[in-house]
Amino acid sequence: MEKNQDSFQGVIAIIIASFLWGTTGTVASFSPDINSLAIGAFSMGIGGVLLVITARTKLLIDYKVMLNQPKTLILGAASVAIYPLAFYSSMHLSGVAVGTVISIASAPFFAAIFEHLISKKKISLQWILSFIIGAIGIVMLTIGRDQSSITSYSINQQSLGIVLGGIAGLTYAGYSWAARQFIESGVNSKSSMSGLFGCAAILLLPSLYFTGENLFSSGTNTLVSLYMAIIPMFLGYLLFGFGLNYIDASKATLITLIEPLVATLLAVLIIGERFKFIGWLGIALVSLCLLMQTSKAKPNVK
């Protein structure tokens, strides 16, 4: 009973994190003159610094355990650094809808592959079914969005954007798996996330010299930049790390399919975007996917 309760707490923490991440698109729309690469590097980089500061006590205890797994540390930190660059570039080249769908919907698949091939964990039938339902829902959600005002993209741009979206999904799964590996080896969840994001910050923050000229050019831009770094990234990944204490990365990344759902609802309510019936049906399928993941299931067998 206690294990099921802990698992439920982990799921709730990741749902809250996904909700916070889902606000980024709407918030960023208030500062269209900020370079998308800059907002990604700043939010992930500063979020990483804040994670290190708040977890410094536990990190000083756990860092030796992390250094004893150099391959996992390098994979995780590199994935954190690459993810925002690939994700925002994907949206820039192929459009927000396509880029978001490819990046987020592919992450659970890659996470399951990591766990199956490297961690030797079996993939449950419940996970497979919920993944299929969630992925279909995300696609329907995208198809149902009114894109009449969105600029058309060339085939080459679309193709490159899709490839970058796949890289974003792969790296998202990569650092989720790495964080889970550290936690399973005895590292505190705060140390795990702060270690990976702190290392990535060393790579991300210097890039702002080339892209970050408008981050603080106005009061609105400043508020947007600080919000993105503190709320979705710092607080969101603090909750995500907590959730990884209790559930596998494949399940965690699947639950984060709620992110585009939240982003869609906010776009309708705040920005004024419109959706067809198929889009709302997609929302229902994503909700069903989440319901399946929060229901009681047999634990994964190693």
Side-chain angles (χ1 to χ4, degrees):
M1 177 67 71
E2 183 177 351
K3 184 176 181 180
N4 290 333
Q5 180 65 27
D6 288 341
S7 178
F8 181 74
Q9 291 177 353
V11 169
I12 293 301
I14 292 176
I15 287 177
I16 296 173
S18 301
F19 179 87
L20 296 179
W21 295 334
T23 66
T24 57
T26 297
V27 173
S29 68
F30 291 101
S31 295
D33 57 327
I34 297 180
N35 187 297
S36 59
L37 292 178
I39 199 65
F42 179 80
S43 59
M44 295 288 268
I46 296 300
V49 171
L50 293 175
L51 286 171
V52 169
I53 292 174
T54 56
R56 62 188 182 279
T57 302
K58 296 184 181 299
L59 190 58
L60 287 173
I61 298 173
D62 294 330
Y63 80 94
K64 290 184 179 179
V65 179
M66 299 177 70
L67 290 177
N68 286 333
Q69 303 176 61
K71 293 182 180 179
T72 302
L73 180 60
I74 292 172
L75 171 64
S79 295
V80 174
I82 294 171
Y83 170 75
L85 306 181
F87 178 59
Y88 288 102
S89 295
S90 175
M91 290 193 296
H92 175 71
L93 292 171
S94 60
V96 174
V98 174
T100 301
V101 167
I102 297 298
S103 301
I104 296 176
S106 64
F109 170 77
F110 287 122
I113 296 301
F114 274 117
E115 291 181 351
H116 182 66
L117 296 181
I118 303 177
S119 302
K120 308 302 180 183
K121 294 180 179 179
K122 293 184 178 180
I123 303 175
S124 68
L125 178 60
Q126 179 180 352
W127 185 94
I128 294 174
L129 292 175
S130 58
F131 169 74
I132 293 173
I133 291 172
I136 293 174
I138 292 295
V139 172
M140 294 174 69
L141 180 59
T142 303
I143 294 174
R145 178 175 294 180
D146 183 3
Q147 300 188 36
S148 59
S149 60
I150 298 178
T151 305
S152 60
Y153 299 87
S154 68
I155 295 178
N156 290 335
Q157 285 181 315
Q158 287 272 1
S159 300
L160 181 57
I162 289 172
V163 171
L164 289 171
I167 293 174
L170 176 63
T171 52
Y172 179 20
Y175 68 73
S176 300
W177 174 84
R180 175 65 179 177
Q181 287 297 109
F182 284 136
I183 291 171
E184 290 183 342
S185 66
V187 174
N188 183 275
S189 63
K190 292 182 179 179
S191 300
S192 177
M193 297 305 295
S194 64
L196 295 177
F197 277 68
C199 290
I202 298 174
L203 302 174
L204 288 171
L205 292 179
S207 69
L208 295 176
Y209 178 80
F210 304 99
T211 63
E213 64 273 7
N214 290 328
L215 284 171
F216 306 104
S217 60
S218 68
T220 299
N221 286 3
T222 299
L223 288 175
V224 167
S225 299
L226 293 177
Y227 173 85
M228 299 279 275
I230 296 173
I231 305 301
M233 298 307 157
F234 168 59
L235 182 57
Y237 279 103
L238 207 60
L239 290 166
F240 188 69
F242 173 81
L244 286 175
N245 278 305
Y246 307 109
I247 62 177
D248 291 328
S250 58
K251 183 173 182 178
T253 52
L254 189 59
I255 293 171
T256 58
L257 288 177
I258 195 175
E259 179 184 345
L261 188 153
V262 171
T264 297
L265 293 177
L266 290 177
V268 171
L269 296 174
I270 298 177
I271 301 177
E273 290 190 5
R274 295 182 178 181
F275 289 83
K276 305 172 185 177
F277 173 76
I278 190 173
W280 293 109
L281 184 58
I283 290 177
L285 289 179
V286 174
S287 300
L288 176 59
C289 165
L290 295 172
L291 182 62
M292 292 176 66
Q293 283 302 308
T294 55
S295 63
K296 184 178 179 180
K298 295 181 180 180
N300 287 345
V301 179
K302 294 185 179 180

